[in-house]
């Protein structure tokens, strides 16, 4: 069988390959109960969830928070690839949190915490605010909204890594939000995921975020910065 990780330049150990295999089995087994993903075909899960999640891993270091993890993307694949990282997965839906706890237990992942809650609320908690070297998010919201969810968690000097499709328009529309929240665009690297454009957007936190952010979700959505 094709080793898709090799084809994208990742050389994984037997232990890592078997962790991905176990993760796939768990997704498959629990999908109907927890409603995690519309993608179920093995090759598609490996490409569109696993490889897609680890293409941004080179930008992720230190302790990181994954906002809106859903079934664990990108956090779990990144943790399998880089086991030295400390990870917090923040997810609003209780059922998905249950699934994530099952994954952490079954894959015996250490230094991984699952928090069930909403980003715009947790970011005002002193245990989370400006405490992370890195925040990540994939498929959660458009970049102006996502920046307001994620940048308040990041320490000054840290970064926010957003997994996006073709992001040119979103990058333009997020310029104002990123600036207001204390960030600056570091990099937007494009990847070709077998015909689909992916962009890893790296935003560096330069200044502390004003305590008024993030606002309540209704405000964030009605009037993005
Ligand atoms: N990141 C995963 C992925 O790439 O497959 C899940 C994407 S799913 C489309 C979006 C997830 O973000 C959902 O599980 C939803 O519950 C969660 N979510 C949306 N808004 C959130 C918020 N403000 N705080 C925490 N989680 C949120």
């Amino acid at each position: 069988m094709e080793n898709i990780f090799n084809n994208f330049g990742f050389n994984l150990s037997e232990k890592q390959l078997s962790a991905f295999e176990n993760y796939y089995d768990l997704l498959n087994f629990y999908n109907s109960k927890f409603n995690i993903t519309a993608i179920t075909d093995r090759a598609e899960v490996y490409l569109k969830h696993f490889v897609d999640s680890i293409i941004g891993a080179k930008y992720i270091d230190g302790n990181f928070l994954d906002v809106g993890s859903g079934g664990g993307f990108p956090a779990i694949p990144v943790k399998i690839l880089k086991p030295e990282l400390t990870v917090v997965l923040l997810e609003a839906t209780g059922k998905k949190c249950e699934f994530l706890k099952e994954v952490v237990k079954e894959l015996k992942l250490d230094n991984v915490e699952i928090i069930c809650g909403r980003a715009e609320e947790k970011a005002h908690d002193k245990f989370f605010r400006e405490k992370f070297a890195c925040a990540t998010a994939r498929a959660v919201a458009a970049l102006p909204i996502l920046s307001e969810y994620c940048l308040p968690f990041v320490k000054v000097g840290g970064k926010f890594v957003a997994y996006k499709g073709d992001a040119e328009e979103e990058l333009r529309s997020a310029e104002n939000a990123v600036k207001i929240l204390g960030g600056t665009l570091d990099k937007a690297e494009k990847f070709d995921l077998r015909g689909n454009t992916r962009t890893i957007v790296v935003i560096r936190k330069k200044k502390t975020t004003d305590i008024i952010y993030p606002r309540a979700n209704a405000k964030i959505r009605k009037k993005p910065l």
Side-chain angles (χ1 to χ4, degrees):
M1 196 192 64
E2 178 200 19
N3 181 336
I4 195 169
F5 297 114
N6 281 347
N7 296 342
F8 281 86
F10 297 100
N11 282 314
L12 303 192
S13 66
E14 284 303 319
K15 190 176 169 198
Q16 287 168 317
L17 290 172
S18 116
F20 276 113
E21 205 46 47
N22 287 344
Y23 189 18
Y24 174 71
D25 288 342
L26 290 168
L27 280 166
N28 218 8
F29 184 75
Y30 285 114
N31 201 26
S32 53
K33 184 172 169 196
F34 294 110
N35 198 13
I36 301 156
T37 173
I39 302 170
T40 51
D41 173 72
R42 190 177 184 282
E44 289 231 336
V45 169
Y46 268 71
L47 177 70
K48 295 184 178 167
H49 284 324
F50 297 169
V51 172
D52 189 45
S53 289
I54 61 175
I55 52 172
K58 63 180 178 179
Y59 295 113
I60 302 168
D61 39 40
N63 66 329
F64 82 99
L65 172 81
D66 188 35
V67 173
S69 290
F73 309 114
I76 299 287
V78 170
K79 173 70 183 172
I80 295 172
L81 185 75
K82 297 173 93 174
E84 70 279 10
L85 298 179
T86 297
V87 194
V88 176
L89 290 83
L90 175 61
E91 169 52 48
T93 308
K95 274 195 161 187
K96 290 180 179 169
C97 294
E98 269 181 64
F99 170 72
L100 291 171
K101 284 178 185 162
E102 201 59 37
V103 171
V104 170
K105 192 176 89 193
E106 290 294 326
L107 300 189
K108 299 185 175 62
L109 299 174
D110 58 5
N111 297 318
V112 179
E113 195 181 350
I114 313 297
I115 305 285
C116 198
R118 295 201 60 88
E120 63 279 14
E121 292 165 10
K122 288 287 171 200
H124 287 287
D125 182 326
K126 66 175 183 199
F127 293 109
F128 294 99
R129 191 174 185 87
E130 300 198 328
K131 291 289 187 289
F132 295 89
C134 185
T136 57
R138 188 188 83 151
V140 176
L143 205 48
I145 293 172
L146 201 55
S147 299
E148 189 165 348
Y149 286 160
C150 294
L151 271 169
F153 289 107
V154 179
K155 291 177 190 169
V156 174
K159 56 198 158 181
F160 160 40
V161 178
Y163 284 64
K164 289 285 164 188
D166 207 342
E168 271 158 43
E169 183 50 44
E170 265 188 69
L171 279 169
R172 264 192 296 278
S173 68
E175 267 174 27
N176 190 46
V178 168
K179 192 169 170 220
I180 290 173
L181 296 159
T184 176
L185 177 68
D186 225 15
K187 199 169 184 121
E189 186 176 1
K190 280 192 182 182
F191 294 88
D192 174 41
L193 202 71
R194 298 208 166 144
N196 290 312
T197 301
R198 307 291 293 142
T199 310
I200 301 295
V201 177
V202 182
I203 292 165
R204 180 71 61 179
K205 179 110 167 223
K206 293 278 186 192
K207 285 191 275 184
T208 193
T209 305
D210 193 311
I211 195 69
I212 63 169
Y213 304 112
R215 298 162 295 162
N217 201 37
K219 273 199 179 157
I220 297 178
R221 296 208 159 255
K222 203 168 161 205
K223 267 197 147 204
L225 293 172

